[in-house]
Amino acid sequence: MQASGKNAGLGLALVSACAFGGSGVAAKPLIEAGLDPLHMVWLRVAGAALVLSPLAWRHRDLVRRKPLLLAGFGLVAVAGVQAFYFASLSRIPVGVALLLEYLGPALLLGYIRFVQRKPVTRAAAAGAAVAVVGLACVVEIWAGLSLDPLGVLLGLAAACCQACYFVFADQGADGDDVPDPLGVIAYGMIVGTLVMTVIARPWEIDWQVLGGQAAMGGLSVPAGVLLAWVVLIATVFAYLTGVVSVRRLSPQVAGVVACLEAVIATVLAWVLLGEHLSTWQIVGGGLVLGGAFIAQSSRSGAGGPGGPGGPVELVGSVELVGVVEPGGSGELRASGEPSESGESAEPGESGELDRVSA
């Protein structure tokens, strides 16, 4: 993966976090105007499915090629995160539920290390730890702490679903039969809509709310405009940029950068909704930014990707430090510390060193 591709991936991950972070600021005025939270989620997912339906038809071959991926993405990465998060909110404080959901990147690192049995970079692990501490400050977990065991389990379930989002987004990205991310997201929204229809019961929506005005800070904004923002920017655009960023970076790095969503949501609520931002929240935001910086620093080395004396990148952002030397058989191999499987790098058709499974 080229350094420019990684920089583009980091930029897309930041853009995705900003887009996701803006969902709460637009959705909260609609909820305060009388829209049920679960109905808000259904409108968000169903609206995105409607917008992306032409792409679903264009990539209809994915239904035959990747049925499990599409079902898993829609059921877990779209509907699962939303349903479990809102269910946890009904039993535990909002800040605690948000913190539990954003344990997803830490759980993702555990999945990569112990289930996929791939090494995890120290930078990614350290970045995730710093980001979790920062999130605890952002949501001020110590304020009004009241834990319900079932609520905690539901919050952890949301975190697991969020971790699966990054796994599904990266699924098949290194194979020959790479699924188009546009098609995956389109069908994911369709599956998510079907699941959320059962949960949210949209036939009970108060449609009059969407035809009126909603208060955002000191402004009166048409409810339809806020809903359009949630659907087009905070869902369609956010998912598209998020999935592409995972494929350009790695699930573990993109997951830590995604923690910025909570910080961005807090800052936007402060600016647009007039919600107070405490000193601890500012400190926590700085820690999350620091954690994201630490995690993404594992993307490159001193010599540059694949350069002399630099790291050769492996699948999952695992780095193998060494100099590329000609092997005894005339093939390229990487000298230095071998991967867990003991396999050496194979040359690509262009003669350059390809990525190697760890």
Side-chain angles (χ1 to χ4, degrees):
M1 189 180 293
Q2 299 285 336
S4 59
K6 294 178 181 179
N7 292 332
L10 179 61
L12 287 171
L14 293 173
V15 169
S16 178
C18 291
F20 274 124
S23 63
V25 175
K28 185 172 181 178
L30 294 176
I31 294 173
E32 291 180 342
L35 198 64
D36 184 89
L38 282 179
H39 291 163
M40 181 68 248
V41 173
W42 184 88
L43 289 169
R44 177 183 185 182
V45 178
L50 181 62
V51 171
L52 295 172
S53 56
L55 293 176
W57 175 254
R58 180 180 179 182
H59 298 285
R60 58 189 179 277
D61 61 309
L62 285 177
V63 177
R64 173 181 52 82
R65 290 167 46 208
K66 303 286 185 180
L68 295 180
L69 173 61
L70 301 182
F73 191 88
L75 182 63
V76 179
V78 176
V81 173
Q82 305 285 346
F84 282 121
Y85 175 65
F86 277 99
S88 67
L89 283 181
S90 66
R91 308 185 70 92
I92 59 178
V94 175
V96 179
L98 187 63
L99 177 62
L100 290 173
E101 180 187 352
Y102 279 93
L103 290 177
L107 296 177
L108 177 63
L109 294 181
Y111 172 84
I112 292 173
R113 181 65 186 91
F114 299 108
V115 178
Q116 292 187 333
R117 297 187 179 280
K118 294 179 181 179
V120 172
T121 60
R122 293 181 179 177
V130 172
V132 169
V133 174
L135 283 171
C137 295
V138 169
V139 303
E140 295 184 331
I141 189 175
W142 53 84
L145 188 62
S146 176
L147 296 183
D148 176 271
L150 180 57
V152 172
L153 289 177
L154 291 170
L156 290 175
C160 291
C161 290
Q162 190 200 52
C164 289
Y165 159 74
F166 295 101
V167 175
F168 283 127
D170 191 55
Q171 186 68 33
D174 299 311
D176 296 329
D177 186 22
V178 180
D180 191 292
L182 299 179
V184 172
I185 295 171
Y187 279 103
M189 292 299 168
I190 292 174
V191 174
T193 299
L194 295 176
V195 175
M196 288 305 302
T197 297
V198 177
I199 299 173
R201 296 183 293 180
W203 50 88
E204 298 179 356
I205 292 177
D206 184 2
W207 297 101
Q208 292 182 349
V209 174
L210 300 178
Q213 300 284 316
M216 174 180 279
L219 301 176
S220 181
V221 183
V225 172
L226 295 176
L227 179 61
W229 177 274
V230 172
V231 171
L232 298 177
I233 304 300
T235 307
V236 175
F237 182 70
Y239 269 96
L240 289 176
T241 52
V243 169
V244 174
S245 72
V246 172
R247 295 190 176 189
R248 288 181 176 267
L249 293 170
S250 71
Q252 53 182 301
V253 175
V256 178
V257 176
C259 289
L260 291 173
E261 177 188 337
V263 179
I264 293 166
T266 303
V267 172
L268 289 177
W270 175 37
V271 174
L272 298 178
L273 302 181
E275 295 185 355
H276 177 65
L277 197 63
S278 69
T279 302
W280 277 111
Q281 288 177 315
I282 296 174
V283 171
L287 288 174
V288 175
L289 288 172
F293 176 79
I294 293 171
Q296 68 85 33
S297 68
S298 67
R299 301 178 303 117
S300 58
V312 177
E313 185 178 359
L314 307 181
V315 173
S317 293
V318 182
E319 296 176 351
L320 178 63
V321 179
V323 181
V324 177
E325 300 176 342
S329 60
E331 297 180 344
L332 290 177
R333 64 182 178 84
S335 66
E337 206 170 330
S339 64
E340 286 188 346
S341 61
E343 294 179 358
S344 59
E346 296 292 335
E349 293 179 0
S350 62
E352 297 178 352
L353 191 63
D354 288 337
R355 293 165 67 180
V356 187
S357 297

